[in-house]
Amino acid sequence: MSIEKYHWLKDVFNQINFINFPHGIIINGPSGVGKKILAKEISQKIIANFTDGLDKQNQSLFNTDHHPDFYLLDRDKIYLKDIIKQKKESKYWDEEKGYKDVVSFLTLTPSISKNKVVCIMNADSMNEESQNALLKSLEEPSSYSYIIMTTSRPRSLKQTIYSRCQVLNIPHISSYKIDEWLNSQGITDYSSTDFPSYSMPLNILDDIQSDRHNSYKEFILIINEFLNLKIDQGQAIKYINDLDIAFISKINYFVEFLKILLKSKLTSESLSGVYKNFNSKKFSNLKISNIIVELNELRDDFYDVSSINETHVLNYFCSELKQSIRQQ
């Protein structure tokens, strides 16, 4: 996937000093901004020995994630066994890359390139034990080894990791720039305003292509019917559960909705579109702010715990909404 199609990533890439390149890089930015695309573009540059490109054979190996000197660790949750092997068992062995863990991969000398690169997506999902296991590879890197990580939350890793890495923050993309990019992709029926304000270009494109572009509007309609007593709490939770989106997205929807409500109250601006019916609602700024704080805390906990009872969480926050937002 060429970085040329993503001008905001190209801008970051062009500012990197490859002459004095660090052995650890952290790419930080919101979900859907293209961190993986940027990470692979940087990796390709390293695998090409910091030249402008790979030959045809190496390019093919890299594009299919089969290059023996490139290891892409792309999972929602990174565990200790992904960083360092726990047992000498055959199931942990990869014929091309050796043991399927970061530390073992980096101890092997390069096969084709002069360098080896590990890309760890969602590095902020590592627990403290996993981060500690990674530290030695960052503290005493081989001259040929490089580690690139992506995070969706700033300062979500141990300070000792940040002290050994360069951080690349992908700048905020304006609604205008997102709409301009969507138009360049042939999408003219939708704009960034049809999606939550935090939605990034690749999120929006994926939602449209996966026919999930109306999920947020459906969520607001469910909340509207619930608060207007057209459906009960059990029905509301069922309808929210039935939305074809991840649980963390549902939490983000709650936060987005409440922030828009709070902003309208603070600025005395009338709501429009799917929010119009909430103009007649009465609520305490403090109560709404407190719910937002709780949702944000839950969002942080989501990355640190193995499982969350989604129905229980939705039941709690729907109850809080019902008690906090009333008809004037």
Side-chain angles (χ1 to χ4, degrees), residues 89-100 108:
E89 296 179 10
S90 59
K91 67 179 180 178
Y92 294 111
W93 181 262
D94 185 287
E95 291 296 331
E96 293 179 347
K97 300 180 181 180
Y99 281 103
K100 292 186 288 185
L108 300 174

Side-chain angles (χ1 to χ4, degrees), residues 63-94:
N63 290 345
T64 56
D65 296 331
H66 286 101
H67 196 290
D69 298 319
F70 175 63
Y71 186 15
L72 177 65
L73 180 55
D74 187 7
R75 295 178 184 166
D76 292 335
K77 180 80 173 176
I78 306 299
Y79 295 98
L80 179 62
K81 66 181 177 62
D82 296 316
I83 304 301
I84 188 167
K85 66 179 182 288
Q86 301 299 290
K87 298 178 182 178
K88 292 185 177 180
E89 296 179 10
S90 59
K91 67 179 180 178
Y92 294 111
W93 181 262
D94 185 287

Side-chain angles (χ1 to χ4, degrees), residues 116-236:
K116 294 179 76 74
V117 185
V118 168
C119 267
I120 305 176
M121 303 295 109
N122 308 310
D124 45 3
S125 71
M126 290 189 293
N127 61 19
E128 187 171 356
E129 189 178 22
S130 301
Q131 293 182 53
N132 286 333
L134 183 65
L135 263 176
K136 188 172 183 180
S137 296
L138 289 168
E139 290 171 340
E140 303 172 6
S142 302
S143 60
Y144 55 75
S145 70
Y146 296 87
I147 298 173
I148 300 174
M149 294 171 273
T150 70
T151 60
S152 297
R153 297 172 294 149
R155 316 312 298 177
S156 53
L157 300 173
K158 291 169 66 73
Q159 180 56 38
T160 45
I161 289 182
Y162 283 106
S163 67
R164 289 161 176 80
C165 296
Q166 178 182 341
V167 179
L168 300 177
N169 287 304
I170 301 177
H172 173 75
I173 309 171
S174 68
S175 297
Y176 170 77
K177 289 292 185 182
I178 293 176
D179 291 342
E180 192 175 61
W181 182 79
L182 289 172
N183 287 332
S184 73
Q185 303 302 303
I187 298 171
T188 57
D189 294 339
Y190 302 96
S191 71
S192 57
T193 56
D194 294 318
F195 299 84
S197 60
Y198 58 80
S199 293
M200 290 291 101
L202 300 186
N203 292 138
I204 293 173
L205 185 62
D206 182 56
D207 282 349
I208 292 171
Q209 292 176 339
S210 304
D211 199 30
R212 292 194 300 267
H213 49 277
N214 288 322
S215 294
Y216 182 63
K217 290 181 180 178
E218 290 174 9
F219 172 83
I220 298 301
L221 290 173
I222 293 168
I223 296 299
N224 182 48
E225 291 194 339
F226 168 59
L227 294 177
N228 284 322
L229 306 180
K230 293 182 178 179
I231 57 174
D232 62 28
Q233 189 158 313
Q235 289 173 305

